[in-house]
Amino acid sequence: MTGLLTTAKALFQAAVDRADPAQALRTHLASSPLAPLPEGGRNVLLAVGKAAIPMMREALQLVPAPSQALVITNSENYTEIPGATVICGAHPVPDENSAAAGQAAIELARSLGPDDRLIALISGGGSALMVAPAPGLTLADKAAVNKLLLASGLEINEMNLIRQQLSDTKGGGLLRHAAPAQVQAFILSDVIGDDLRAIASGPTVAPIGTRAQARETLQRAGIWDSTPETVRARLSAVDETHKAPPPAINTLIGSNRHSLKAMMSAAAEEWCPILVSHRLVGDVSEAAETIIKAAESAPRDKPAALIFGGETTVLLRGTGLGGRNQELALRVAKLGAERLSGDWLFLSGGTDGRDGPTDAAGGIATSATWEAIKASGQDPDALLANNDSYAALKSADALLMTGGTGTNVADVQIFLKRPG
């Protein structure tokens, strides 16, 4: 399996490389330079998300005479940057550092005058890394809701619809604090479909929906009664005016689709690359079935590289440790052992290098993985039922470990199958 693993990791790296935020920002600013400011106007930089460090480094080189620079990112990607203040928030569940980051961003935005420009560099992860509870709410309220959302099985857009209604920065909140200054945002998408309202919960765009829609989504997910009373009160209050936030210039500079194209190109020389889906979403059990069915129908006379991209969800039923990519790999290992023959390998990973609250980027499965877990003395079915994919894959040396990548364009999956 060494050859297949080397190939799969190379294709994963191609996806990460294509999402390089510094290169993406450089390319866009070269083709569309920033408009000049009025005399005395200042350029102020704010980078938020898992790709904030490389985006800020590049911006400091390209933006004329920035007067201030604030970076908000995760601890795995932390590094000092001369000329910038760097704050680390927590992800996926926000903490006091996330709240401090949110307050710092608000203060920076409020310091701007009408001739100034806020250049916002936004990437995935910003929802948790920069938080500012809406009036009447506390950080504990938001953290409690976020934990419920992560275990609910809701898709990312549904989660962000709710998060925006509980925030003072999300859903265009940052624009309101920065007004009347100009705001120009460069955005790296970690959201399938590239809805700018959902990336980092849309600090520079209008909200996804209303309080009533957020309330209905929580009720439909069966977690309304579990949310804090203050949250229920806010979402039940009559406030449907939804004045549009001030305008901004929002530019998408990278996405999952760009990375999938890079994987296809990288695989083309020695494999038959097939883009099966650029929208692998929904529950991991359904996604695993989609992957196995694609593998069953793959060409049998040539080496096939099946490519997927998306962001699945996990409905938590147990107390184990893992992430959506790890559980997807474990489910593919189980189904593959039952239904596939021949030489194959599956890799699922988050392009940010972190899958859920673990140090793994994702997981790897082969025809031998399920039995290898058993051979280690573990019960893979029990571990799967407990959402303990990390322990299961670790026992078979099947975790994908990359460390923080400095970018984030959601997840990619690779299924390699040799003829036979």
Side-chain angles (χ1 to χ4, degrees):
M1 291 292 175
T2 303
L4 292 181
L5 181 58
T6 299
T7 298
K9 287 184 174 181
L11 295 181
F12 179 79
Q13 189 60 46
V16 172
D17 290 345
R18 178 58 184 83
D20 180 272
Q23 179 60 51
L25 183 62
R26 187 182 315 124
T27 298
H28 280 271
L29 286 179
S31 60
S32 301
L34 296 169
L37 290 174
E39 185 176 354
R42 301 176 300 145
N43 281 313
V44 174
L45 304 177
L46 171 64
V48 180
K50 294 183 178 180
I53 292 290
M55 292 179 85
M56 179 60 79
R57 279 178 170 158
E58 194 65 24
L60 286 169
Q61 299 297 317
L62 299 175
V63 174
S67 64
Q68 287 179 269
L70 173 64
V71 179
I72 298 170
T73 192
N74 56 320
S75 59
E76 292 87 347
N77 290 327
Y78 171 79
T79 186
E80 293 184 2
I81 301 179
T85 299
V86 182
I87 301 176
C88 289
H91 188 278
V93 178
D95 65 2
E96 294 291 344
N97 291 326
S98 302
Q103 187 58 39
I106 289 173
E107 291 174 1
L108 181 69
R110 287 177 175 172
S111 72
L112 301 174
D115 293 334
D116 297 334
R117 174 169 51 205
L118 177 65
I119 298 174
L121 312 169
I122 298 171
S123 55
S127 290
L129 297 171
M130 179 183 74
V131 299
L137 302 181
T138 66
L139 178 61
D141 292 332
K142 292 199 64 173
V145 172
N146 208 39
K147 287 180 180 178
L148 289 170
L149 293 177
L150 293 171
S152 68
L154 291 173
E155 293 188 3
I156 186 65
N157 279 15
E158 296 173 309
M159 293 186 196
N160 284 335
L161 162 65
I162 295 161
R163 288 166 174 159
Q164 288 175 348
Q165 296 303 320
L166 307 179
S167 173
D168 202 24
T169 55
K170 298 172 173 56
L174 189 65
L175 296 178
R176 295 184 176 92
H177 290 299
Q182 302 177 44
V183 177
Q184 187 161 358
F186 297 93
I187 303 172
L188 187 70
S189 174
D190 68 330
V191 174
I192 304 309
D194 302 329
D195 186 342
L196 301 187
R197 301 172 302 174
I199 302 163
S201 290
T204 63
V205 295
I208 295 171
T210 65
R211 290 188 189 183
Q213 290 171 319
R215 182 175 66 247
E216 292 164 2
T217 302
L218 287 167
Q219 290 169 338
R220 175 167 46 81
I223 56 177
W224 170 255
D225 292 336
S226 299
T227 60
E229 183 179 349
T230 50
V231 171
R232 297 198 300 272
R234 176 175 175 79
L235 296 182
S236 298
V238 178
D239 181 15
E240 302 299 348
T241 55
H242 279 283
K243 294 179 181 178
I249 301 172
N250 291 297
T251 304
L252 181 69
I253 63 171
S255 72
N256 188 266
R257 288 199 186 206
H258 290 119
S259 287
L260 297 182
K261 289 180 181 179
M263 293 167 69
M264 294 285 288
S265 297
E269 185 173 340
E270 298 182 11
W271 295 77
C272 174
I274 301 171
L275 178 58
V276 180
S277 175
H278 56 74
R279 196 174 181 83
L280 190 69
V281 296
D283 189 77
V284 286
S285 61
E286 298 172 0
E289 182 64 28
T290 296
I291 291 161
I292 292 300
K293 285 183 177 178
E296 289 173 330
S297 60
R300 299 188 177 185
D301 59 341
K302 60 186 73 173
L306 311 181
I307 304 298
F308 308 79
E311 187 167 289
T312 57
T313 57
V314 176
L315 182 58
L316 295 180
R317 297 182 176 87
T319 59
L321 179 68
R324 59 180 179 264
N325 288 287
Q326 293 164 68
E327 182 151 332
L328 180 57
L330 184 58
R331 289 182 178 276
V332 168
K334 176 179 173 63
L335 293 178
E338 296 169 351
R339 292 162 51 180
L340 300 178
S341 60
D343 200 8
W344 61 268
L345 182 142
F346 173 73
L347 181 151
S348 182
T351 54
D352 61 352
R354 182 176 180 182
D355 184 36
T358 76
D359 57 355
I364 300 160
T366 72
S367 58
T369 300
W370 194 254
E371 290 301 320
I373 298 170
K374 292 180 181 179
S376 73
Q378 301 277 10
D379 181 347
D381 284 301
L383 292 172
L384 184 57
N386 194 40
N387 298 115
D388 209 358
S389 54
Y390 184 92
L393 295 175
K394 185 176 182 179
S395 71
D397 193 24
L399 291 169
L400 176 65
M401 308 293 286
T402 65
T405 64
T407 191
N408 187 17
V409 291
D411 305 332
V412 296
Q413 291 82 26
I414 305 140
F415 193 103
L416 301 176
K417 192 170 186 287
R418 289 198 175 109

